Amino acid sequence: MMFIEIISNNLADWGPRLLKGLHLTLSLTAGGFCLASIIALLIEYLRSRRGLIPRLVARLYISIARGVPILVILYLLYFALPEAGITLSAFMAGTVGLGMVYAAYLAEVFRAGLGAIPAGQREAALAAGLTPLAAFRIILLPQAVRQTIAPLLINLVSLMKDSSICALISVPELTLVSRELMSESFLPLHVFALTALLYFGLAWPASIAARFIEHRLQGHTPRRTNRRALPSLAVGASP
């Protein structure tokens, strides 16, 4: 009871500051995920081309993005780019860094989604007179998105949790605000227990929704598509 009482006594001071940090965490997540989706679609378009160079560029990007830690990329964007005359705010560096890294993971998700579409559809679209870009945008992409909703949600949750790394480049998101409160109150257990509860309150419903969507889609998808283990392409899985 003493534990809960201490949190209750400090909630009037901690609450508004934690919610402000949470708002910034959600902004980082939304911005990073949108950027990652755009880059991932570009990567997948390059991989769908028949030329060797576009495919090599796409593979090289994925290898670098997945092989370099997020923190290193954030440090390069925030501390190294100013030496080249390009200065990004901490929030912008965090958004761009998260987007660049997660683009590699989302590209693998989109590849699996496109792989579940019969190859004849692309050939039929090209035979009907569509350009490769139009065939990708009009015919293939809408079907791939439906196939990848569940793993996209899983990656969104992972991105939200990884946004806490942005505290190390002074982005005042939830984790950094929690560290400041801990330094002021000398109550690390209470502060970070409340912080963990906020993260869990966001991540758990999204994970439940991802599993629900996955089961719903499997129930309405032919067996040959079900063999594609899309959720396994979340962050950290092998391509």
Side-chain angles (χ1 to χ4, degrees):
M1 293 299 294
M2 180 68 70
F3 182 85
I4 298 177
E5 183 179 353
I6 292 175
I7 292 180
S8 300
N9 292 337
N10 290 278
L11 196 57
D13 176 40
W14 294 354
R17 296 169 66 179
L18 288 173
L19 289 177
K20 186 176 180 180
L22 180 61
H23 178 267
L24 199 56
T25 291
L26 293 176
S27 299
L28 271 174
T29 302
F33 191 78
C34 289
L35 179 61
S37 299
I38 294 171
I39 298 176
L41 289 174
L42 178 59
I43 292 172
E44 193 52 39
Y45 173 70
L46 291 176
R47 278 202 298 205
S48 69
R49 300 299 299 272
R50 299 186 183 277
L52 179 61
I53 294 180
R55 292 186 177 187
L56 287 177
V57 170
R59 290 176 182 175
L60 180 62
Y61 181 93
I62 291 174
S63 298
I64 293 175
R66 298 185 70 171
V68 179
I70 297 179
L71 183 58
V72 173
I73 292 179
L74 292 178
Y75 279 169
L76 286 173
L77 291 173
Y78 188 62
F79 295 112
L81 277 186
E83 297 184 5
I86 303 174
T87 302
L88 300 177
S89 66
F91 177 82
M92 184 60 67
T95 300
V96 173
L98 290 171
M100 290 174 61
V101 172
Y102 270 81
Y105 297 104
L106 296 190
E108 297 299 323
V109 172
F110 287 132
R111 182 182 69 169
L114 289 169
I117 302 171
Q121 293 198 23
R122 181 178 185 275
E123 296 172 359
L126 295 177
L130 293 178
T131 64
L133 179 59
F136 179 80
R137 180 174 57 87
I138 299 173
I139 305 298
L140 303 180
L141 183 58
Q143 298 182 70
V145 169
R146 181 181 182 276
Q147 297 288 338
T148 57
I149 291 177
L152 286 176
L153 278 176
I154 294 173
N155 278 273
L156 177 63
V157 172
S158 296
L159 192 153
M160 182 199 68
K161 292 186 291 185
D162 282 344
S163 68
S164 61
I165 301 176
C166 295
L168 298 176
I169 58 170
S170 72
V171 179
E173 45 72 62
L174 183 57
T175 300
L176 183 58
V177 171
S178 300
R179 287 173 53 189
E180 293 173 351
L181 292 176
M182 177 195 68
S183 300
E184 297 171 7
S185 63
F186 299 101
L187 296 170
L189 179 60
H190 303 76
V191 171
F192 281 103
L194 191 57
T195 302
L197 185 62
L198 289 173
Y199 275 116
F200 180 77
L202 292 173
W204 185 65
S207 299
I208 294 296
R211 286 197 293 269
F212 174 77
I213 292 172
E214 176 189 354
H215 293 322
R216 291 283 293 180
L217 291 178
Q218 286 181 349
H220 295 83
T221 306
R223 284 188 177 180
R224 60 193 176 91
T225 303
N226 286 345
R227 295 174 184 171
R228 299 284 179 174
L230 293 178
S232 67
L233 293 175
V235 175
S238 299

